[in-house]
Amino acid sequence: MAGFPLLLEDRVALITGGSRGIGAETVRLFVQAGARVGFNFFRSREQALALAAEVGGRPRCLAIERKLDCAADGHSLVEAAVRVFGRLDILVANHGIWESEDVPIAEMTEEQWSNTMAVNLDSVFGLVQAAVAQFDKQIADAREAETIGGQAPVRSDGTTGHIVLISSTAGQRGEAFHADYSVTKGALISLTKSLSSELAPRGIRVNCVAPGAIEIERTRAEHPDYAGAWARLTPLGRVGQPEDVGRAVVFLASDASSFITGQTVWVDGGLFCRPPWPE
């Protein structure tokens, strides 16, 4: 690994929705890559604490209890992570809600629509805003003191911070009866493009990962044949696993992707490139 920069040594990452599924596997992979990681949880307290302990506990990993359904929550979570770790280098916005029940647009309540927007978009706005402010502060402090903790925050490639947003293939192709969810995921793809050009001059790289069919606890519980059904539709012939997504996030947050920003990586086994229904 010495000749390939897929490592996150000396970096601090904040990963939202880290207690289960894709988020939990991303936490594990980030710690394995050398990062110190803070992640939030809301309902899954036991799982979150067990995960933090599994990967080494303090000072390597910390579970932070925080609901994310408004911009202020995003600000609060970033501030909590910085209080613990002293800095922030990487933000991964992985959290989100998806209503399992199909709801036609004519029957969707304003409450459901507003709640999905609040969790999937408003809180991400707050997270990004607070993370960018922290990245800028670290640069300003470094220029004054030359180093932060004995380490220059600007890396050899000019990077000062990373943001990775987790979208979905539904953000591009849409999803019938789940318009609220697909709208928010499409917005994250657009936000990635907007932020990448805005923040690149300050050394902040912004990318997006869009998973396809990924087998997690919820999908297994709700759909016993989830893996088999999606494997038959996916060109690579299998359903995705959380680590498939986590590896892409690690790559985008590492120096291995130092000339990549504003991109959406489709982690879907080729599903997005094929017709939506079997031939």
Side-chain angles (χ1 to χ4, degrees), residues 4-263:
F4 190 70
L6 199 59
L7 293 172
L8 302 173
E9 294 287 351
D10 303 318
R11 298 181 212 187
V12 173
L14 173 60
I15 300 171
T16 64
S19 62
R20 297 183 295 176
I22 291 170
E25 194 57 37
T26 303
V27 168
R28 292 186 181 97
L29 290 169
F30 266 63
V31 173
Q32 289 172 18
R36 290 180 291 156
V37 179
F39 68 93
N40 84 297
F41 69 94
F42 179 51
R43 294 189 177 90
S44 306
R45 182 179 181 81
E46 290 186 7
Q47 283 181 284
L49 296 180
L51 173 61
E54 171 196 326
V55 298
R58 286 191 185 226
R60 177 61 65 186
C61 184
L62 176 68
I64 305 170
E65 185 170 7
R66 187 75 83 249
K67 187 177 184 180
L68 289 173
D69 64 2
C70 65
D73 289 343
H75 279 266
S76 175
L77 181 58
V78 170
E79 290 164 4
V82 172
R83 278 197 302 272
V84 172
F85 294 108
R87 61 177 295 111
L88 182 67
D89 302 289
I90 302 161
L91 169 67
V92 180
N94 165 73
H95 71 287
I97 56 173
W98 177 85
E99 295 293 339
S100 58
E101 181 180 353
D102 288 351
V103 181
I105 193 64
E107 300 173 13
M108 187 174 293
T109 64
E110 184 177 348
E111 179 183 12
Q112 176 177 329
W113 179 272
S114 297
N115 189 47
T116 304
M117 298 299 141
V119 174
N120 293 7
L121 279 184
D122 295 349
S123 64
V124 174
F125 164 69
L127 286 162
V128 168
Q129 193 173 57
V132 169
Q134 178 62 29
F135 297 154
D136 287 345
K137 179 180 183 299
Q138 288 167 186
I139 295 305
D141 289 347
R143 285 176 180 152
E144 202 172 302
E146 295 197 355
T147 60
I148 292 179
Q151 171 188 320
V154 180
R155 301 191 175 270
S156 58
D157 63 2
T159 298
T160 61
H162 299 81
I163 297 173
V164 182
L165 305 180
I166 306 301
S167 178
S168 165
T169 52
Q172 184 69 25
R173 61 176 170 77
E175 185 171 1
F177 306 108
H178 296 272
D180 55 334
Y181 175 80
S182 58
V183 162
T184 62
K185 293 304 180 179
L188 292 183
I189 295 172
S190 181
L191 182 61
T192 298
K193 295 175 182 178
S194 299
L195 292 178
S196 63
S197 56
E198 175 184 336
L199 300 176
R202 284 140 75 176
I204 301 170
R205 295 198 289 111
V206 186
N207 289 291
C208 182
V209 173
I214 307 297
E215 186 180 27
I216 58 176
E217 299 96 322
R218 177 178 54 78
T219 56
R220 283 194 298 268
E222 294 177 359
H223 306 284
D225 189 39
Y226 182 89
W230 281 104
R232 291 189 289 273
L233 293 173
T234 302
L236 281 184
R238 68 173 178 88
V239 72
Q241 297 299 319
E243 56 266 31
D244 293 316
V245 182
R247 289 174 188 139
V249 178
V250 171
F251 167 71
L252 290 173
S254 74
D255 292 346
S257 62
S258 62
F259 200 52
I260 298 175
T261 193
Q263 302 305 306

